[in-house]
Amino acid sequence: MTTGPGERDERILVRLRVNGVEHAVRAEPRESLAELLREKLRLTGTHVGCEQGACGACTVLLDGASVRSCLLLAVQADGHEVTTVEGLASGASASHPLRRAFTDNHALQCGFCTPGVLMTAYELLSTRRGLSERDIRVALSGNLCRCTGYQGIIAAVRQADEQWERDVPDQQHTDRQHPDRQH
């Protein structure tokens, strides 16, 4: 944004780490994190669907927790770590068990919802293991998909849960919260 004589630049400097890379970007006070990622950092894997946080296509991780980047102001991400779907595709993670499982189970069709679903599933799998179908359905309930019918997505998350070697926190409290979990 250029300013003319007598005009003030209202943009705010936002410093954040995205997919492991430090960035310092000037953002409008009303600019969403999704806009900053897509337009300023050219990370277009984060999709914008409803712009109301209802569809989940814009889901990214902020300090490891999923957020709707269309609802979060870019300035709120100042000083934080953001992981986008591109972060799952970098380096050795190109063969990440979650990505392989989505391919194996035909868990995507048009691909519009896929980045948000992948980020939500990644957060879930990073914190839990031994997931039931109910666990997966509840976690993904904020991600809308109009193509797949969800069966392939659920199968992919279950496959990734079985095949991804990862450290997760102690789950004693989790099992008590889900009495229907099959052991």
Side-chain angles (χ1 to χ4, degrees):
M1 178 175 127
T2 60
T3 57
E7 292 181 21
R8 254 181 27 157
D9 185 355
E10 298 290 329
R11 296 176 301 167
I12 299 167
L13 183 63
V14 177
R15 289 185 164 91
L16 67 165
R17 179 185 290 262
V18 180
N19 301 329
V21 177
E22 295 288 339
H23 295 275
V25 183
R26 289 196 140 326
E28 296 288 332
R30 67 186 175 280
E31 186 174 342
S32 73
L33 179 59
E35 291 171 309
L36 182 137
L37 293 169
R38 292 182 58 81
E39 296 169 17
K40 296 201 170 131
L41 300 182
R42 300 291 183 218
L43 295 170
T44 58
T46 300
H47 293 167
V48 179
C50 66
E51 296 188 69
Q52 298 175 356
C55 72
C58 67
T59 302
V60 299
L61 301 182
L62 182 72
D63 297 330
S66 60
V67 296
R68 300 295 197 250
S69 65
C70 73
L71 297 180
L72 191 73
L73 295 174
V75 296
Q76 292 175 286
D78 185 47
H80 293 277
E81 171 83 30
V82 177
T83 306
T84 69
V85 71
E86 289 92 346
L88 297 184
S90 60
S93 66
S95 61
H96 192 283
L98 183 57
R99 294 183 64 206
R100 278 197 315 272
F102 265 65
T103 300
D104 292 350
N105 290 280
H106 308 287
L108 54 105
Q109 287 184 19
C110 82
F112 193 80
C113 70
T114 304
V117 171
L118 281 169
M119 298 311 296
T120 301
Y122 183 85
E123 176 193 24
L124 175 65
L125 292 166
S126 294
T127 59
R128 309 243 329 260
R129 69 171 66 246
L131 300 167
S132 69
E133 181 175 330
R134 181 178 182 277
D135 294 331
I136 298 166
R137 286 186 180 277
V138 167
L140 295 176
S141 63
N143 296 84
L144 300 180
C145 176
R146 296 179 181 199
C147 301
T148 68
Y150 296 95
Q151 294 309 316
I153 294 170
I154 292 164
V157 175
R158 289 190 99 167
Q159 178 182 319
D161 184 27
E162 294 167 5
Q163 295 179 354
W164 183 14
E165 293 296 324
R166 64 204 187 276
D167 292 324
V168 295
D170 180 23
Q171 290 186 260
Q172 280 185 316
H173 68 281
T174 303
D175 291 338
R176 283 190 302 240
Q177 290 174 350
H178 296 283
D180 63 326
R181 177 186 304 274
Q182 297 180 10
H183 297 279

